[in-house]
Amino acid sequence: MIVKAVQWIGGVDGYLELVDQRRLPAEFVKLRCRDVEHLYEAIKTLTVRGAPAIGVSAAYGLVLAVQSLTPSEGLGAALGDLAKTCDYLASSRPTAVNLFWALQRVRQCADEFVGAQPKATLREFQEVVLAEANAIYQEDVDMCRRIGQNGEKFIKDGAGVLTHCNAGALATAGQGTALSLMFEAHKEGRRFKVYADETRPLLQGARLTAWELQQAGIDVAVVCDNMAGWLMKQGRIDAVVTGADRIAANGDTANKIGTYGLSILAKEHRIPFYIAAPSSTFDLGIGSGAEIPIEERAREEVTAFAETPVTPEGVNVCNPAFDVTNAEDIAAIITERGVIESPNTDNIAKCLKAVPDRDKRISGSGNRIYG
Ligand code: MRU
């Protein structure tokens, strides 16, 4: 059974249910998110995390925002409030483009609805916002499955596969991106071993990826982040597969800090390095990875390990949460629309060409509006 990390419960008056990812694997607890401030905190603190899950949650955050409107305000004011909530949620985390993409998509849908039906009721407006959030959710579920189906062939029988951070069900509305390949290969009866990088400082690999794969009955071993090179040298890794937080038009890819180092190690050892990501993670509005904003997080994440201090008091700390892997070091980007081998500006544009015009405009401008 695939875990549901993000789920809307009820109709327009409902609430957002989130698995509290800070507490896994020790405890499996679901939180009820009933207001936008709570959701903002949940995104910021990584209670909900992973690019697609952040995007889906933010879309539902806009449903929470329109719940508190009153009919006397009028729909013009409602659009103004929605825009303010978009700005607020957009300031929660800077790197994953899915956040900006989802906010922009719901906002545009609301704008278009009010433009076309200025005399609609508040209830109708709220229903439109919820329907768009639900569409984003369902599309993410479908994209995850298709990514898995498109990429499972890269998980060969008997292979050793290295992954970093968590790009599983916990990071999406569906069955994940990188881990979706593994779930599909497992369904096919292939036997393989996954090495899950622990992923310092917040241990998404050790806590979340290991938990998900263990639940699914997939052979997984947790390794410290500094072990990958040695495993590769010993011939134990046949492929590296990770997710992504933002992919520039040329294929440069931001993902959890440490991914770039893995790509260099993989190149040195001639091991294919794959990225698995939905089209909502592409930011066609930026030419290269140099333009991707990299989140810098609190020093306390580094100065303590599982809340035990591990550094001298007052020492300087550097804590970038993401890095950028060069497109030329990526063997293929696996999307729901197909596999982009040796990604570059041309073949990415070609693969994403099937995107409806509206979505293309949104994904291309997401970070320029809010980032
Ligand atoms: O800081 P996080 O835990 O949100 O970082 C998540 C990642 O880097 C994932 O690999 C990425 O979002 C892809 S999730 C399908």
Side-chain angles (χ1 to χ4, degrees):
M1 251 285 274
I2 296 290
V3 63
K4 285 194 181 302
V6 179
Q7 204 175 9
W8 183 260
I9 309 292
V12 283
D13 300 319
Y15 59 88
L16 185 62
E17 192 174 74
L18 301 172
V19 172
D20 187 343
Q21 301 195 30
R22 295 166 306 175
R23 293 163 78 169
L24 279 168
E27 291 175 285
F28 184 84
V29 178
K30 287 191 171 180
L31 289 179
R32 289 180 179 186
C33 218
R34 293 186 188 275
D35 59 64
V36 175
E37 289 71 25
H38 190 184
L39 176 62
Y40 177 94
E41 274 312 302
I43 295 174
K44 191 139 191 104
T45 58
L46 274 60
T47 301
V48 59
R49 46 146 299 282
I54 294 171
V56 171
S57 303
Y60 283 121
L62 297 181
V63 185
L64 295 173
V66 298
Q67 278 177 346
S68 54
L69 299 173
T70 52
S72 58
E73 273 183 88
L75 292 187
L79 286 180
D81 283 358
L82 195 75
K84 277 190 207 139
T85 305
C86 285
D87 290 345
Y88 173 60
L89 287 175
S91 66
S92 56
R93 294 191 76 188
T95 304
V97 78
N98 307 58
L99 170 64
F100 313 104
W101 172 84
L103 290 171
Q104 176 62 13
R105 182 166 149 177
V106 176
R107 186 176 167 188
Q108 184 170 338
C109 171
D111 282 344
E112 283 172 4
F113 173 72
V114 174
Q117 297 190 47
K119 292 196 173 16
T121 63
L122 176 60
R123 191 75 180 178
E124 285 165 339
F125 176 73
Q126 290 167 330
E127 268 158 11
V128 163
V129 173
L130 175 61
E132 192 66 3
N134 280 338
I136 290 173
Y137 174 95
Q138 191 52 51
E139 284 168 31
D140 194 62
V141 171
D142 296 341
M143 289 192 291
C144 286
R145 200 189 53 253
R146 294 212 301 271
I147 287 169
Q149 289 165 346
N150 288 340
E152 51 83 11
K153 60 183 176 226
F154 297 117
I155 311 291
K156 309 260 192 262
D157 202 43
V161 182
L162 182 75
T163 190
H164 191 68
C165 194
N166 172 265
L170 288 165
T172 65
Q175 63 181 37
T177 58
L179 296 200
S180 182
L181 274 56
M182 300 170 200
F183 294 137
E184 291 295 327
H186 184 63
K187 256 198 249 167
E188 293 293 311
R190 254 167 266 149
R191 291 197 320 195
F192 52 92
K193 185 176 189 80
V194 181
Y195 294 91
D197 265 353
E198 64 175 352
T199 318
R200 271 284 281 154
L202 296 181
L203 305 176
Q204 290 94 328
R207 296 187 301 107
L208 308 177
T209 296
W211 181 80
E212 277 196 47
L213 293 175
Q214 201 180 49
Q215 300 268 318
I218 293 176
D219 184 7
V220 57
V222 175
V223 294
C224 299
D225 295 332
N226 51 4
M227 296 174 184
W230 179 240
L231 293 178
M232 289 181 185
K233 191 167 185 188
Q234 287 183 312
R236 290 160 74 175
I237 308 293
D238 301 288
V240 181
V241 189
T242 77
D245 287 84
R246 193 185 295 224
I247 304 174
N250 72 344
D252 289 350
T253 296
N255 191 49
K256 180 53 56 192
I257 190 77
T259 306
Y260 167 67
L262 285 181
S263 74
I264 301 298
L265 282 171
K267 178 162 65 174
E268 169 71 17
H269 294 90
R270 296 174 199 281
I271 295 167
F273 182 94
Y274 301 109
I275 296 287
S279 51
S280 53
T281 300
F282 286 79
D283 184 352
L284 301 184
I286 58 172
S288 80
E291 293 174 67
I292 299 177
I294 300 294
E295 179 180 15
E296 186 79 26
R297 291 188 62 86
R299 53 178 276 111
E300 291 73 23
E301 292 181 354
V302 174
T303 56
F305 187 86
E307 292 177 17
T308 302
V310 290
T311 60
E313 220 179 298
V315 76
N316 289 330
V317 164
C318 179
N319 185 16
F322 298 94
D323 57 27
V324 178
T325 294
N326 298 322
E328 69 221 37
D329 297 328
I330 299 171
I333 302 178
I334 299 140
T335 78
E336 83 281 5
R337 291 170 196 275
V339 175
I340 309 169
E341 287 185 13
S342 305
N344 58 44
T345 308
D346 290 342
N347 59 15
I348 287 174
K350 205 163 146 205
C351 179
L352 297 187
K353 217 165 54 203
V355 178
D357 278 342
R358 197 181 70 142
D359 285 3
K360 217 177 343 187
R361 199 165 67 237
I362 291 166
S363 62
S365 62
N367 83 317
R368 274 182 281 142
I369 290 175
Y370 294 116

